[in-house]
Amino acid sequence: MDVKLVNPFIDAFTTVLPQMGFPTPQRTGMTVNNQNAVSQGVAVIVGFTKEIRGNVVYNMSEDTAKFIASTMMMGMPVENFDEMAQSAISEMSNMLTANAATNLTALGLEVDISTPSLTVGSDFQIKISNEQYLCVVMDVSGHQVEIDIAVQQ
Amino acid sequence: MEKVKVMVVDDSRISRMMVSSMLAKTNFEVCAMAENSAEAVALYAKTKPDVVTMDMNLPDADGIECTRRIHAIDPKAKIVMISAMKDAKLIMQGRMAGIGSFLQKPVSTNELIDTLMIMCNENVGAVAVYRESYVTTFAKVLQQSLMSLFGIQSEIEIAQNEDSVLKVDGVAAVIGIVGEPKGRVALYMDSDTMYNLSKAMLGMDPQDDLSADEAEAAIEEAGNIITGRAVSRVNDVFKDKEMRITPPGTVIGSDIILSNPELISFNVKAKTSYGDVHMNVGFARGV
């Protein structure tokens, strides 16, 4: 898969998060994987289609998800990863992917995105590609969010 | 949920019975049945139905004349014509009289419900629209596909998913829907059912060996095929809508929670001899 397709997703992450009150995220890793991704606790899958088709997964620990939800809700404490916190993470994934879609349009690739599917659990596997996919790790205030991107070609 | 009231106007008792039996298990309720135009006008004024099904041939006036008389007492009356004939001239005359939609006998249940749904869109909640116009089609396609892909019979149950949380032990293929409306489908089942189904899909015997990877891939492909078929069928009915699907993503493991509080979703369960097959169909809130 084409590495240049990953930039719109990283750019979306680094642009959108500061707008929600986070410090600018840093990219701390990027690998090409062909094994199934493993859930770190909370994983959101968003599909896209039109000129390119694929899936993106935002994969993080429950602690990180609670930290992000809390920051998004103006610092409101989040003790449990409850429905409200889940909605916040779904909404963030939706915003990130919609922003990535806009960035892709700038490359001449129009895409439509699906509603996010939020999954919670430990150590389950996530398969988004029969082939290789890209895995980018972003650091937000010491919290890691893994972004897995698979594009069908 | 509040029922949507329907008045059936038809001079044939059999036709009236057919329409009411099609609506029997739906959110529509037949509030009146009329066998001629005079009765139709009187019952309309009395029962104030949300929508009327109108036959063309009535003993005292035709369906178009009857429509004019109903419109004289309620200019906003919603009327769908169901008749044996459906030609351009009839449609033109009918439109001028205020008929909103035309169906030709024999009418299929799906066609009737979808048409009534569209006509009453503003009168019914999003839940009913999603259920009747989309989810029943998805359920039907699931049942047909279980037969065509795996050669198995199934019993289908549909229920609204009230708590928005699904528990998955085994495998779940998640397929996104883009366009109007947006949403996603999750096809999920336990491991035993996954192996049973994937072996049947690949024409293998139950005792044959199949790797987990291959079995998961089979379920993923089944989810892709079933969702694709269902979406194209819905697109065929609603000519103004175009939904498309995204590639499947699959989650595999135990104690996985699939949570989508922002979706209105429905659980479709297919009971089969190979185990239960679950399909959750969810759409973004707001039609």
Side-chain angles (χ1 to χ4, degrees), chain A residues 82-134:
Chain A
D82 56 12
E83 195 168 297
M84 202 169 191
Q86 292 174 13
S87 285
I89 297 300
S90 286
E91 184 49 30
M92 176 194 73
S93 308
N94 189 37
M95 283 160 63
L96 289 172
T97 316
N99 192 284
T102 309
N103 295 342
L104 283 164
T105 306
L107 296 178
L109 296 168
E110 209 170 311
V111 296
D112 288 333
I113 67 168
S114 77
T115 52
S117 290
L118 184 123
T119 53
V120 186
S122 50
D123 294 334
F124 64 87
Q125 294 184 54
I126 308 156
K127 181 175 171 238
I128 50 167
S129 175
N130 291 320
E131 290 151 33
Q132 292 176 328
Y133 66 94
L134 281 161

Side-chain angles (χ1 to χ4, degrees), chain B residues 116-127:
Chain B
L116 293 179
M117 270 295 160
I118 293 167
M119 293 194 69
C120 305
N121 220 334
E122 58 216 75
N123 292 357
V124 293
V127 171

Side-chain angles (χ1 to χ4, degrees), chain B residues 117-138:
Chain B
M117 270 295 160
I118 293 167
M119 293 194 69
C120 305
N121 220 334
E122 58 216 75
N123 292 357
V124 293
V127 171
V129 174
Y130 284 143
R131 187 189 177 107
E132 301 300 337
S133 303
Y134 299 94
V135 181
T136 50
T137 303
F138 277 76

